[in-house]
Amino acid sequence: MPALRGLTPLPPERAAALSGLYAAASGAARRRTLASFAVVALLVLLAGLAAEVRPLVFVENIGKFTAYLAQIWPPVGLDHPLEDVRAWYWGLPGWLALLGETVLMAYLGTLLGAVAGFALSFAAAANLVRSPAVRFVAKRFLEVCRTIPDVVFALLFVIAFGLGPMVGVLALAVHTTGALGKLFSEVVENIDMRPVEGLSASGASWIETVRFGVLPQVLSNFVSYALLRFEINVRGAAVLGFVGAGGIGQEFLAAIRNFYYADVSAILGLIILTVVCIDLATEQVRHRLIGAEEAR
């Protein structure tokens, strides 16, 4: 390779030494990469053995799954499609009422959890609260709320309060508190601290500092995360019906247990369509909020 104009070529022994150092560094990097892949592969193997993952059994029994899908396939033909759809969705009014109950459960659970997570996120933020004890208690409480699955909370609340939608609302609210509180606190910890420091220097109280120095920076992200959580909670609320928390999940579980294949596909289609519509609507809102935030 010809030397570049204006550059003095290195002495051969110096070039050879640098090439050796580069080759050694490249070799070390390759060995670290291969070692990382080997560790990951070993962990996957150990996890598969511990979880009793058996690929041959999966391959042998995959036909049962596809057969079940064939059984719940919508019973709609080409000869009388409208009549078939009417027969397929024979329980539409009742299912829509239960589906509306599920959406309202998700909405109320998300709202309550977002309010609680909003309040606790500031106490868990290291850049706003200097007391390690306060931060420790707030963070551990949020961890407990989001670590225990919402289905477990629902089972506990069913024992305490009985069956009904209130159980689902409480379970979703507790789990949402932990999830959103964690996300909100991370947003708060990444803010620009100059407005906060300026307000503190001017004698503003802690609440005034949060109100005028923190909230304007984080509010759009808070709303975006809350909307995303609402999407998740709609799906979660449908599952909570399996343990008696109300909503469409109870009807869905009854159809599965009684082998009402047409009802299973009809209710599943309603749930999927509802989730898709909510996802599309909240996605537009989130994009608008993010766009407004970037335009500032």
Side-chain angles (χ1 to χ4, degrees), residues 57-271:
V57 175
F58 174 80
V59 173
E60 291 174 359
N61 293 277
I62 190 65
K64 297 179 181 179
F65 176 71
T66 56
Y68 186 78
L69 291 179
Q71 287 177 316
I72 68 172
W73 189 258
V76 179
L78 298 178
D79 297 332
H80 307 90
L82 294 180
E83 289 77 3
D84 292 342
V85 170
R86 291 193 188 98
W88 183 30
Y89 277 96
W90 64 271
L92 184 60
W95 294 339
L96 287 178
L98 292 173
L99 190 59
E101 186 177 272
T102 297
V103 174
L104 291 177
M105 284 168 50
Y107 168 73
L108 190 55
T110 304
L111 180 63
L112 295 176
V115 171
F118 174 85
L120 291 171
S121 65
F122 301 108
N127 56 342
L128 294 183
V129 175
R130 302 303 177 188
S131 172
V134 173
R135 295 200 309 271
F136 179 85
V137 172
K139 288 184 176 181
R140 300 297 83 78
F141 178 76
L142 293 175
E143 286 173 359
V144 171
C145 290
R146 70 174 177 271
T147 300
I148 300 176
D150 47 11
V151 175
V152 176
F153 279 123
L155 289 171
L156 296 176
F157 289 136
V158 163
I159 297 173
F161 304 110
L163 303 175
M166 184 182 73
V167 170
V169 171
L170 293 176
L172 290 173
V174 174
H175 198 268
T176 299
T177 298
L180 288 183
K182 168 70 172 177
L183 295 173
F184 289 175
S185 65
E186 291 180 350
V187 172
V188 172
E189 288 178 345
N190 288 305
I191 63 171
D192 183 3
M193 289 297 294
R194 287 175 295 182
V196 176
E197 294 169 353
L199 287 168
S200 299
S202 64
S205 65
W206 188 84
I207 294 179
E208 291 172 339
T209 301
V210 171
R211 166 64 183 85
F212 297 104
V214 179
L215 274 184
Q217 300 187 59
V218 302
L219 195 55
S220 62
N221 285 327
F222 279 15
V223 174
S224 178
Y225 280 131
L227 290 173
L228 178 60
R229 190 67 202 181
F230 174 58
E231 301 173 15
I232 297 172
N233 283 347
V234 171
R235 295 185 283 269
V239 175
L240 292 182
F242 287 14
V243 296
I248 194 67
Q250 287 180 274
E251 190 73 15
F252 188 46
L253 180 61
I256 293 175
R257 285 178 172 174
N258 294 309
F259 302 103
Y260 298 154
Y261 297 117
D263 291 358
V264 170
S265 60
I267 296 173
L268 187 60
L270 284 177
I271 295 173

